[in-house]
Amino acid sequence: MDGNEKAQHNRDAFQLERVILFTDAVFAIAITLLAIEIKVPELHERTEHAALSGLLHLTAKFIGFFLSFFIIAVYWLAHHRIFRFVRHTTPKLLWLNMLFLLSIVLMPFTTAFQSEYGMLSTPWVLYALNIMLSGVLQTLLQRYLRNPASHLVAPHEQQHPDLDPVRPLLSPAVFLFSALVALLPAVHPSLLRLLPLLLFPVFMLYQRRYRRLMQAYEAAHSPRPHHA
Protein backbone atom coordinates (compact mmCIF):
# COMPACT_ATOMS: atom_id res chain seq x y z
CA MET A 1 0.00 0.00 0.00
CA ASP A 2 1.57 3.32 -1.12
CA GLY A 3 1.19 6.67 0.60
CA ASN A 4 -1.93 7.74 -1.34
CA GLU A 5 -3.71 4.44 -0.73
CA LYS A 6 -2.86 4.57 2.97
CA ALA A 7 -4.17 8.14 3.24
CA GLN A 8 -7.41 7.17 1.49
CA HIS A 9 -7.78 4.17 3.78
CA ASN A 10 -7.35 6.39 6.83
CA ARG A 11 -9.95 8.84 5.53
CA ASP A 12 -12.42 6.02 4.84
CA ALA A 13 -11.86 4.57 8.31
CA PHE A 14 -12.34 7.99 9.94
CA GLN A 15 -15.57 8.70 8.05
CA LEU A 16 -16.92 5.25 8.88
CA GLU A 17 -16.02 5.70 12.53
CA ARG A 18 -17.95 9.00 12.58
CA VAL A 19 -21.06 7.25 11.23
CA ILE A 20 -20.84 4.47 13.81
CA LEU A 21 -20.23 6.86 16.72
CA PHE A 22 -23.14 9.06 15.67
CA THR A 23 -25.39 6.03 15.29
CA ASP A 24 -24.41 4.70 18.72
CA ALA A 25 -25.21 8.10 20.26
CA VAL A 26 -28.67 8.16 18.66
CA PHE A 27 -29.43 4.67 19.94
CA ALA A 28 -28.24 5.64 23.43
CA ILE A 29 -30.44 8.75 23.44
CA ALA A 30 -33.48 6.79 22.21
CA ILE A 31 -33.09 4.24 25.01
CA THR A 32 -32.60 7.02 27.57
CA LEU A 33 -35.78 8.77 26.40
CA LEU A 34 -37.69 5.54 26.97
CA ALA A 35 -36.80 5.71 30.67
CA ILE A 36 -37.53 9.44 30.93
CA GLU A 37 -41.12 8.76 29.87
CA ILE A 38 -41.66 6.83 33.13
CA LYS A 39 -42.47 9.51 35.66
CA VAL A 40 -42.19 8.96 39.39
CA PRO A 41 -45.76 8.58 40.73
CA GLU A 42 -47.17 11.39 42.82
CA LEU A 43 -48.21 10.09 46.21
CA HIS A 44 -51.11 11.90 47.87
CA GLU A 45 -50.33 9.97 51.02
CA ARG A 46 -46.84 8.89 52.06
CA THR A 47 -47.81 5.32 52.86
CA GLU A 48 -46.61 1.93 51.65
CA HIS A 49 -50.04 1.24 50.17
CA ALA A 50 -49.94 4.49 48.18
CA ALA A 51 -46.43 3.72 46.96
CA LEU A 52 -47.43 0.25 45.77
CA SER A 53 -50.57 1.61 44.18
CA GLY A 54 -48.53 4.24 42.34
CA LEU A 55 -46.17 1.60 41.00
CA LEU A 56 -49.06 -0.57 39.84
CA HIS A 57 -50.40 2.35 37.84
CA LEU A 58 -47.07 2.42 36.01
CA THR A 59 -47.23 -1.26 34.99
CA ALA A 60 -48.20 -0.48 31.39
CA LYS A 61 -45.39 2.05 31.09
CA PHE A 62 -42.82 -0.42 32.44
CA ILE A 63 -44.04 -3.10 30.01
CA GLY A 64 -43.74 -0.63 27.13
CA PHE A 65 -40.28 0.41 28.33
CA PHE A 66 -38.88 -3.11 28.54
CA LEU A 67 -40.45 -4.12 25.22
CA SER A 68 -39.01 -1.14 23.37
CA PHE A 69 -35.69 -1.34 25.22
CA PHE A 70 -35.08 -4.85 23.91
CA ILE A 71 -36.38 -4.01 20.44
CA ILE A 72 -34.01 -1.05 20.19
CA ALA A 73 -31.23 -3.23 21.61
CA VAL A 74 -31.89 -5.85 18.92
CA TYR A 75 -31.72 -3.20 16.20
CA TRP A 76 -28.48 -1.80 17.66
CA LEU A 77 -26.96 -5.28 17.72
CA ALA A 78 -28.08 -5.79 14.13
CA HIS A 79 -26.52 -2.48 13.09
CA HIS A 80 -23.31 -3.44 14.86
CA ARG A 81 -23.38 -6.85 13.16
CA ILE A 82 -23.80 -5.58 9.60
CA PHE A 83 -21.56 -2.50 9.80
CA ARG A 84 -18.52 -4.56 10.70
CA PHE A 85 -18.42 -5.56 7.02
CA VAL A 86 -18.50 -1.97 5.71
CA ARG A 87 -15.19 -0.71 4.30
CA HIS A 88 -16.16 2.89 3.45
CA THR A 89 -19.19 5.18 3.23
CA THR A 90 -21.23 6.57 0.36
CA PRO A 91 -23.91 9.30 0.29
CA LYS A 92 -26.61 6.67 -0.23
CA LEU A 93 -25.39 4.65 2.74
CA LEU A 94 -25.42 7.78 4.93
CA TRP A 95 -28.99 8.63 3.94
CA LEU A 96 -30.22 5.08 4.43
CA ASN A 97 -28.60 5.07 7.85
CA MET A 98 -30.19 8.43 8.73
CA LEU A 99 -33.64 7.20 7.70
CA PHE A 100 -33.12 4.08 9.78
CA LEU A 101 -32.21 6.26 12.77
CA LEU A 102 -35.33 8.34 12.16
CA SER A 103 -37.43 5.26 12.85
CA ILE A 104 -35.43 4.59 16.03
CA VAL A 105 -35.82 8.09 17.51
CA LEU A 106 -39.57 7.88 16.93
CA MET A 107 -39.82 4.84 19.18
CA PRO A 108 -39.88 6.68 22.55
CA PHE A 109 -42.95 8.62 21.38
CA THR A 110 -44.84 5.65 19.96
CA THR A 111 -43.91 3.62 23.05
CA ALA A 112 -45.27 6.29 25.39
CA PHE A 113 -48.42 6.66 23.26
CA GLN A 114 -49.31 2.98 23.28
CA SER A 115 -48.37 2.62 26.96
CA GLU A 116 -50.57 5.54 28.01
CA TYR A 117 -53.59 4.35 26.04
CA GLY A 118 -53.39 0.60 26.38
CA MET A 119 -57.16 0.21 26.01
CA LEU A 120 -57.09 1.64 22.46
CA SER A 121 -55.98 -0.04 19.24
CA THR A 122 -54.81 3.02 17.31
CA PRO A 123 -51.73 3.73 19.51
CA TRP A 124 -50.66 0.11 19.16
CA VAL A 125 -51.05 0.18 15.38
CA LEU A 126 -48.87 3.30 15.25
CA TYR A 127 -46.27 1.56 17.43
CA ALA A 128 -46.35 -1.51 15.19
CA LEU A 129 -45.91 0.67 12.09
CA ASN A 130 -42.89 2.29 13.74
CA ILE A 131 -41.20 -1.07 14.31
CA MET A 132 -42.15 -2.26 10.83
CA LEU A 133 -40.53 0.87 9.39
CA SER A 134 -37.32 0.14 11.31
CA GLY A 135 -37.22 -3.41 9.98
CA VAL A 136 -37.86 -2.37 6.38
CA LEU A 137 -35.15 0.31 6.51
CA GLN A 138 -32.68 -2.14 8.01
CA THR A 139 -33.50 -4.52 5.17
CA LEU A 140 -32.79 -1.78 2.63
CA LEU A 141 -29.48 -1.12 4.38
CA GLN A 142 -28.48 -4.76 4.22
CA ARG A 143 -29.52 -5.11 0.58
CA TYR A 144 -27.42 -2.10 -0.29
CA LEU A 145 -24.42 -3.55 1.55
CA ARG A 146 -24.85 -6.92 -0.17
CA ASN A 147 -25.13 -5.35 -3.63
CA PRO A 148 -21.85 -5.96 -5.50
CA ALA A 149 -22.34 -2.67 -7.35
CA SER A 150 -22.06 -0.68 -4.12
CA HIS A 151 -18.51 -1.94 -3.41
CA LEU A 152 -19.05 -1.44 0.32
CA VAL A 153 -18.39 -5.02 1.39
CA ALA A 154 -15.61 -7.34 0.30
CA PRO A 155 -16.87 -9.73 -2.42
CA HIS A 156 -16.25 -12.85 -0.31
CA GLU A 157 -18.34 -11.38 2.56
CA GLN A 158 -21.40 -10.23 0.60
CA GLN A 159 -23.16 -13.55 1.14
CA HIS A 160 -22.34 -13.79 4.84
CA PRO A 161 -25.40 -14.95 6.86
CA ASP A 162 -25.18 -11.85 9.04
CA LEU A 163 -26.20 -9.86 5.95
CA ASP A 164 -29.19 -12.11 5.25
CA PRO A 165 -32.05 -9.71 4.30
CA VAL A 166 -34.65 -12.11 5.71
CA ARG A 167 -33.58 -11.60 9.32
CA PRO A 168 -34.62 -7.92 9.72
CA LEU A 169 -38.07 -8.75 8.34
CA LEU A 170 -38.95 -11.07 11.21
CA SER A 171 -39.91 -8.36 13.72
CA PRO A 172 -41.93 -6.38 11.14
CA ALA A 173 -43.80 -9.57 10.24
CA VAL A 174 -44.81 -10.15 13.87
CA PHE A 175 -45.88 -6.54 14.36
CA LEU A 176 -47.72 -6.50 11.03
CA PHE A 177 -49.67 -9.48 12.31
CA SER A 178 -50.42 -7.61 15.55
CA ALA A 179 -51.58 -4.54 13.59
CA LEU A 180 -53.92 -6.68 11.51
CA VAL A 181 -55.27 -8.34 14.66
CA ALA A 182 -55.88 -4.87 16.11
CA LEU A 183 -58.36 -4.25 13.30
CA LEU A 184 -60.54 -7.14 14.46
CA PRO A 185 -63.41 -5.79 16.58
CA ALA A 186 -63.58 -8.94 18.72
CA VAL A 187 -59.97 -8.57 19.99
CA HIS A 188 -59.46 -6.50 23.12
CA PRO A 189 -56.60 -3.99 22.66
CA SER A 190 -54.88 -5.14 25.86
CA LEU A 191 -54.28 -8.56 24.26
CA LEU A 192 -52.20 -6.93 21.52
CA ARG A 193 -49.41 -6.37 24.04
CA LEU A 194 -48.97 -10.14 24.30
CA LEU A 195 -48.35 -10.70 20.59
CA PRO A 196 -44.67 -9.60 20.67
CA LEU A 197 -44.04 -12.82 22.60
CA LEU A 198 -44.26 -14.47 19.17
CA LEU A 199 -40.83 -13.00 18.47
CA PHE A 200 -39.21 -15.69 20.61
CA PRO A 201 -40.40 -18.74 18.60
CA VAL A 202 -39.96 -16.83 15.32
CA PHE A 203 -36.29 -16.09 16.03
CA MET A 204 -35.73 -19.61 17.32
CA LEU A 205 -37.04 -20.98 14.03
CA TYR A 206 -34.85 -18.55 12.12
CA GLN A 207 -31.76 -19.99 13.81
CA ARG A 208 -32.21 -23.10 11.68
CA ARG A 209 -31.97 -20.99 8.54
CA TYR A 210 -28.97 -19.10 9.98
CA ARG A 211 -27.08 -22.32 10.76
CA ARG A 212 -27.83 -23.64 7.27
CA LEU A 213 -26.59 -20.43 5.65
CA MET A 214 -23.49 -20.39 7.84
CA GLN A 215 -22.61 -23.97 6.95
CA ALA A 216 -22.97 -23.19 3.24
CA TYR A 217 -20.93 -19.99 3.63
CA GLU A 218 -18.11 -21.72 5.51
CA ALA A 219 -18.08 -24.58 3.03
CA ALA A 220 -17.80 -22.13 0.12
CA HIS A 221 -14.98 -20.16 1.74
CA SER A 222 -13.00 -22.87 3.50
CA PRO A 223 -9.46 -23.50 2.20
CA ARG A 224 -9.33 -26.07 -0.57
CA PRO A 225 -7.12 -29.10 0.16
CA HIS A 226 -4.07 -29.38 -2.03
CA HIS A 227 -3.63 -32.69 -3.77
CA ALA A 228 -0.15 -33.98 -4.47
Side-chain angles (χ1 to χ4, degrees):
M1 181 182 294
D2 59 27
N4 290 334
E5 290 177 336
K6 185 176 181 179
Q8 182 61 44
H9 174 76
N10 291 337
R11 282 195 294 270
D12 290 341
F14 174 70
Q15 294 299 331
L16 183 58
E17 183 180 9
R18 288 187 64 195
V19 174
I20 294 174
L21 289 175
F22 176 78
T23 300
D24 287 347
V26 171
F27 271 97
I29 292 170
I31 283 181
T32 302
L33 290 176
L34 289 176
I36 291 176
E37 288 296 332
I38 305 177
K39 308 296 183 182
V40 174
E42 294 184 10
L43 303 182
H44 299 293
E45 298 178 0
R46 293 179 178 271
T47 64
E48 298 298 337
H49 180 270
L52 290 173
S53 179
L55 284 175
L56 288 175
H57 280 91
L58 294 176
T59 300
K61 291 184 178 294
F62 275 110
I63 292 175
F65 166 76
F66 285 113
L67 175 61
S68 292
F69 179 92
F70 285 107
I71 287 175
I72 291 177
V74 166
Y75 278 121
W76 179 82
L77 289 170
H79 191 277
H80 175 74
R81 184 173 60 246
I82 66 177
F83 260 68
R84 78 180 195 272
F85 297 105
V86 180
R87 298 184 295 178
H88 60 88
T89 62
T90 64
K92 183 174 181 179
L93 177 65
L94 295 178
W95 276 111
L96 284 173
N97 193 62
M98 289 297 292
L99 290 173
F100 173 67
L101 293 179
L102 172 64
S103 70
I104 297 299
V105 298
L106 280 174
M107 213 167 291
F109 167 74
T110 57
T111 300
F113 191 35
Q114 65 91 5
S115 298
E116 184 70 25
Y117 302 103
M119 296 298 107
L120 299 176
S121 296
T122 298
W124 180 263
V125 172
L126 180 63
Y127 180 65
L129 289 174
N130 187 176
I131 295 174
M132 290 160 58
L133 177 62
S134 298
V136 170
L137 289 170
Q138 186 192 337
T139 302
L140 293 177
L141 262 175
Q142 291 191 198
R143 286 187 177 277
Y144 183 56
L145 296 183
R146 284 167 55 95
N147 187 353
S150 67
H151 303 293
L152 293 175
V153 177
H156 68 281
E157 294 179 328
Q158 290 166 0
Q159 299 304 314
H160 194 284
D162 284 345
L163 293 174
D164 179 21
V166 173
R167 187 171 188 160
L169 292 176
L170 299 179
S171 294
V174 170
F175 281 90
L176 173 61
F177 174 70
S178 73
L180 294 175
V181 171
L183 301 178
L184 301 176
V187 176
H188 195 276
S190 61
L191 297 177
L192 300 174
R193 278 69 181 172
L194 299 176
L195 293 180
L197 293 174
L198 294 174
L199 289 170
F200 292 101
V202 166
F203 275 98
M204 288 179 65
L205 289 174
Y206 174 79
Q207 288 305 309
R208 298 181 182 178
R209 171 183 171 86
Y210 183 85
R211 287 193 292 268
R212 186 169 65 251
L213 291 175
M214 181 59 77
Q215 289 172 357
Y217 179 83
E218 290 176 345
H221 296 88
S222 60
R224 303 290 182 181
H226 296 284
H227 300 283

